[in-house]
Amino acid sequence: MSTFTVGYFVGSLARASINRKLAVALTRVAPPQLQMREIPIGELPLYSYDYDADYPPTARALKDAIAAVDAVLFVTPEYNRSIPGALKNAIDWASRPYGQNSFTRKPSAVIGTSPGKIGTAVGQQHLRSIMAFCNSPLMNAIEAYIQFEPGLITDEGEVTVASTADFLRDYMQEFHGYITRVYTALPRGGA
Ligand SMILES: Cc1cc2nc3c(=O)[nH]c(=O)nc-3n(C[C@H](O)[C@H](O)[C@H](O)COP(=O)(O)O)c2cc1C
């Protein structure tokens, strides 16, 4: 099996973020063929095309980080039935300057957790629409809407419910298969 690097975005900037706990859990259950690293978004200024001629260091670092990975994973809350502004801002930075969209042909997946029963489903649909426009092949299935109960995932990323741990392991295994299929159709570095 091929090995890939995956850069993950945590859509929440909150210190006690339940999506950060989920991201840590995903790094723990990912197969060894997926090397996980976070791509931070919290220090980015708000995007404007005024920056296009000369991106600030944080934004250049963002684009370099995406260029350095084989795939990206979004672990995000749903805010007001969409994605958080901080994540949208990061995507806008990465998608520009025009003609230098970092997500083009970069495989991606989305997952999220919320205390609510629909577990970020509506926000994820918005993200799917955004990433389609950014020309990222995004994994369609399996979908992952995780309802967060207190204690479900520890700060260390330990999942306390066995069925959820199994599901998250399957999800990451499926993502590995998806990345493999994308690069089988279009080799890394290919046109
Ligand atoms: C501005 C805001 C909007 C929210 N909107 C939603 C929502 O649309 N759907 C939902 O399930 N939860 C919503 N919530 C509750 C979040 O799911 C909850 O705060 C969760 O902890 C956010 O994930 P995080 O801890 O990773 O930031 C919202 C929370 C905030 C702060």
Side-chain angles (χ1 to χ4, degrees):
M1 278 205 292
S2 300
T3 296
F4 301 103
T5 49
V6 174
Y8 66 89
F9 294 86
V10 178
S12 172
L13 305 185
R15 279 190 292 277
S17 167
I18 57 177
N19 283 277
R20 175 164 297 285
K21 294 186 211 301
L22 175 59
V24 176
L26 290 166
T27 64
R28 284 178 58 145
V29 299
Q33 293 80 13
L34 289 184
Q35 292 166 1
M36 309 283 291
R37 60 175 85 145
E38 182 172 2
I39 299 180
I41 62 171
E43 303 298 324
L44 290 163
L46 288 176
Y47 172 77
S48 149
Y49 60 73
D50 294 344
Y51 290 111
D52 280 0
D54 185 18
Y55 261 32
T58 46
R60 265 187 258 129
L62 172 79
K63 289 183 75 73
D64 290 347
I66 298 170
V69 294
D70 295 311
V72 293
L73 174 65
F74 296 96
V75 188
T76 185
E78 175 180 281
Y79 280 3
N80 299 313
R81 294 286 183 255
S82 186
I83 61 169
L87 179 58
K88 181 62 164 57
N89 183 52
I91 294 170
D92 289 345
W93 275 111
S95 70
R96 292 279 156 159
Y98 183 77
Q100 297 172 49
N101 168 19
S102 301
F103 293 115
T104 291
R105 298 174 181 153
K106 181 90 51 177
S108 61
V110 57
I111 186 170
T113 187
S114 145
K117 283 204 183 305
I118 59 172
T120 73
V122 183
Q124 288 192 33
Q125 285 305 316
H126 280 199
L127 184 59
R128 286 177 185 280
S129 173
I130 294 163
M131 295 315 292
F133 184 73
C134 289
N135 197 23
S136 168
L138 194 145
M139 182 168 77
N140 286 313
I142 44 182
E143 298 169 293
Y145 311 120
I146 311 297
Q147 185 177 20
F148 197 92
E149 306 278 1
L152 176 65
I153 306 174
T154 68
D155 287 348
E156 292 71 40
E158 187 191 343
V159 184
T160 59
V161 176
S163 60
T164 303
D166 289 346
F167 175 80
L168 296 178
R169 197 171 293 110
D170 283 354
Y171 178 88
M172 294 307 290
Q173 192 65 54
E174 195 65 31
F175 190 34
H176 179 272
Y178 181 74
I179 298 166
T180 304
R181 283 193 297 282
V182 169
Y183 283 121
T184 302
L186 184 68
R188 277 175 276 188

